[in-house]
Amino acid sequence: MVSAPLSLCDVQATLRIRFADEALLRLALTHPSYTNEHDGSDGSFERLEFLGDSVLGMVVAERLYERFPDVEEGRLTLWRAHIVQGPTLAEAARRLGLGQYLLLGRGEEATGGRERPGNLADAYEALIGALKLDRGPDGGLEGARRFIERTLAPELDALQTDPAELNTKGALQQYCEGRFGRPQYLTVEERGPEHAREFSVEVRIDGVVLGQGSGRTKQQAEKDAAREALRRLRERAAQE
């Protein structure tokens, strides 16, 4: 199985962006495995990913600084790290349907490369880099900023409504200090093919299961479990 012909018009319509230089868009979607199998290819998204990573970090830091004028630097740093980490970016790429447009080599295609979190996160960053370089109406630094704020809106809005939401494990541990023992996380199930694993995790406090979570990574499953445990503990405290 090989990558299907890439329709750059479809990509732009789906992503709601327009490129003056469509070669940049194509490059942002080209995985190194595709380049290795196609002589004369213009390269892969790796250099654009490098640029996009820097632009992403700057834009997110700027937005957090503006939204939360009373939050100390240490917490802003933790929030930025969460938003720009691979699993978060992979989820944003999934919402955009980015995987269906990747140009992959045969081996990467056959082993589920379109759903691989690392590929999705890398392509998302490369797309930001491509937007930064493009001179069209949706390009440049301002275009990249608009794209980031639109596609990461759920994560940024979650901070606005509940700052603990993006660091549920840290919030749970802080809540337990002085009250209970340290939360312990246990992976109770792994299922699905290697390229699309699903993990189930329990969090135990003083030997009691207080939360369960699932996700495509253990980290996400642990966060979901911590969120449930924190909710239960808060509800219990409110009833006392």
Side-chain angles (χ1 to χ4, degrees):
M1 184 177 182
V2 297
S3 295
L6 181 64
S7 170
L8 296 178
C9 289
D10 288 347
V11 178
Q12 292 174 95
T14 299
L15 301 182
R16 293 159 50 196
I17 52 178
R18 294 167 293 167
F19 274 82
D21 183 359
E22 292 187 344
L24 282 170
L25 174 57
R26 181 182 177 87
L27 187 60
L29 299 172
T30 304
H31 189 271
S33 64
Y34 183 90
T35 304
N36 293 337
E37 294 181 8
H38 293 78
D39 294 336
S41 172
D42 292 331
S44 73
F45 57 44
E46 290 175 309
R47 283 173 54 83
L48 285 176
E49 175 197 348
F50 166 78
L51 176 61
D53 175 70
S54 297
V55 175
L56 175 65
M58 182 196 70
V59 169
V60 170
E62 181 181 71
R63 182 56 60 228
L64 293 177
Y65 182 86
E66 292 173 349
R67 280 198 183 192
F68 303 100
D70 299 323
V71 175
E72 71 279 5
E73 179 269 344
R75 180 166 292 186
L76 291 176
T77 298
L78 290 174
W79 290 352
R80 179 185 60 187
H82 175 87
I83 292 177
V84 303
Q85 70 176 337
T88 303
L89 304 184
E91 182 59 32
R94 287 192 189 96
R95 290 196 296 262
L96 293 169
L98 202 57
Q100 66 183 309
Y101 297 118
L102 295 180
L103 290 171
L104 304 174
R106 292 181 179 85
E108 190 67 21
E109 178 85 62
T111 56
R114 294 191 183 282
E115 292 298 321
R116 204 182 308 281
N119 290 346
L120 294 172
D122 291 348
Y124 180 85
E125 288 184 324
L127 189 58
I128 292 171
L131 283 169
K132 169 63 174 66
L133 295 178
D134 191 66
R135 296 186 178 183
D138 293 330
L141 180 57
E142 288 305 312
R145 178 181 284 110
R146 290 193 298 270
F147 178 79
I148 291 167
E149 292 179 354
R150 170 168 61 86
T151 57
L152 289 178
E155 286 73 23
L156 291 168
D157 289 345
L159 280 176
Q160 191 75 42
T161 57
D162 183 2
E165 179 67 16
L166 290 188
N167 187 18
T168 53
K169 292 179 64 176
L172 177 62
Q173 183 166 330
Q174 184 177 17
Y175 187 90
C176 289
E177 287 178 359
R179 294 186 178 96
F180 313 103
R182 184 183 180 90
Q184 302 292 325
Y185 296 89
L186 177 65
T187 301
V188 295
E189 185 180 7
E190 297 182 22
R191 55 189 178 274
E194 183 177 354
H195 66 274
R197 302 293 281 170
E198 184 82 13
F199 299 90
S200 293
V201 168
E202 293 179 347
V203 57
R204 300 180 181 183
I205 301 173
D206 293 335
V208 178
V209 177
L210 284 180
Q212 296 177 318
S214 62
R216 295 198 177 190
T217 65
K218 288 184 180 180
Q219 183 183 43
Q220 184 61 54
E222 289 176 354
K223 284 179 53 183
D224 287 349
R227 181 183 297 107
E228 182 179 352
L230 189 60
R231 177 182 58 79
R232 288 183 176 180
L233 289 173
R234 285 171 170 172
E235 288 177 351
R236 181 186 299 175
Q239 294 172 358
E240 292 177 353

